[in-house]
Amino acid sequence: MTQLKELPFSTLQFYATAPYSCSYLPGLQARSQVVTPNHLINSDVYSSLVHLGFRRSGLFTYRPYCDNCHACIPLRICVDSFKPRRSQRRALKKHSDLNSFITELRYSPEHFKLYQQYESARHPGGGMDQDNNEQYAKFLLVSQVNSRLVEFRDPENVLRMVSIIDILNDGLSSVYTFYDPSDTSTSFGTYNILWQIEQARQLALPYVYLGYWIAQSEKMAYKSAFKPAQIFTNNKWLSLV
């Protein structure tokens, strides 16, 4: 894996954004630290940046850089020692008939329609529910690292879920997942993470990076249910207890 001293810090630049409204904790202001220029962030460099708590949205690589808040904590699952709890085993059984198809990043009207349905149901008024084709593509379908799109279809070949994943030097990074929101009895999100853990195990990769865990946010708190896990705090990866 690329070491810190090997990163092109002489050419990479890190800058802080202006404050903006936090998407997860109401009433708070957020800032991000962004890495540029984008064209220098290849798969090896990005793997090292993720190890330091960064992640990406389209071509933008960033990490939280808020003035008075440290609620966003990078979290990764330890693949080799992970054991699903009872509810997670139920999710595996419930969706065991889903078929997965791994492809390159590509636009599909079918995918975009599912994305719109998901955002309208799960994140209404958040802005992403109003994304057009171009905004959707910039968010999920552009990448300079080793990325894959995964379709999940039921036995009737109906699209039920789509996941975007980055393949790192030491694991998989879960970029974004959207799924059919019409049936509230499903456990697609849980199943997707379990599927990624199994993929990482087959690839002999030790971690699945889930992005930022926010204990105070219902939307993000679920990530701590996948244990054993580690969190990045004080510039170290430590076990989440």
Side-chain angles (χ1 to χ4, degrees), residues 82 84 87-89 91-92 189-199 226:
F82 173 78
S87 62
Q88 293 165 347
R89 292 196 297 271
L92 277 173
T190 296
Y191 176 81
N192 180 266
I193 293 174
L194 296 171
W195 183 89
Q196 291 186 40
I197 293 171
E198 180 56 30
Q199 289 296 304
F226 297 86

Side-chain angles (χ1 to χ4, degrees), residues 79-210:
V79 169
D80 290 340
S81 49
F82 173 78
K83 298 212 182 318
R85 57 177 60 184
R86 182 178 299 176
S87 62
Q88 293 165 347
R89 292 196 297 271
R90 286 199 298 266
L92 277 173
K93 183 177 180 181
K94 179 184 291 187
H95 299 303
S96 60
D97 62 344
L98 288 179
N99 297 310
S100 59
F101 302 91
I102 304 173
T103 73
E104 301 293 326
L105 300 184
R106 60 183 177 84
Y107 178 80
S108 160
E110 185 183 26
H111 297 169
F112 182 57
K113 180 179 178 181
L114 184 64
Y115 173 82
Q116 289 180 307
Q117 293 171 346
Y118 173 81
E119 294 298 336
S120 295
R122 294 305 179 99
H123 304 291
M128 292 167 64
D129 55 330
Q130 301 298 318
D131 280 359
N132 57 31
N133 291 27
E134 183 178 359
Q135 290 167 317
Y136 162 76
K138 285 183 178 179
F139 173 39
L140 293 178
L141 303 182
V142 292
S143 171
Q144 294 189 158
V145 300
N146 193 2
S147 303
R148 296 290 185 273
L149 182 150
V150 188
E151 294 182 345
F152 295 86
R153 296 181 179 273
D154 66 19
E156 284 71 47
N157 203 38
V158 176
L159 180 68
R160 304 305 299 275
M161 178 165 57
V162 173
S163 187
I164 310 297
I165 300 169
D166 291 336
I167 303 173
L168 310 176
N169 291 344
D170 68 343
L172 301 180
S173 176
S174 185
V175 177
Y176 201 72
T177 297
F178 54 95
Y179 49 81
D180 183 354
S182 61
D183 185 351
T184 57
S185 69
T186 61
S187 303
F188 288 135
T190 296
Y191 176 81
N192 180 266
I193 293 174
L194 296 171
W195 183 89
Q196 291 186 40
I197 293 171
E198 180 56 30
Q199 289 296 304
R201 184 176 285 119
Q202 292 180 21
L203 294 169
L205 295 171
Y207 303 112
V208 172
Y209 290 84
L210 292 186

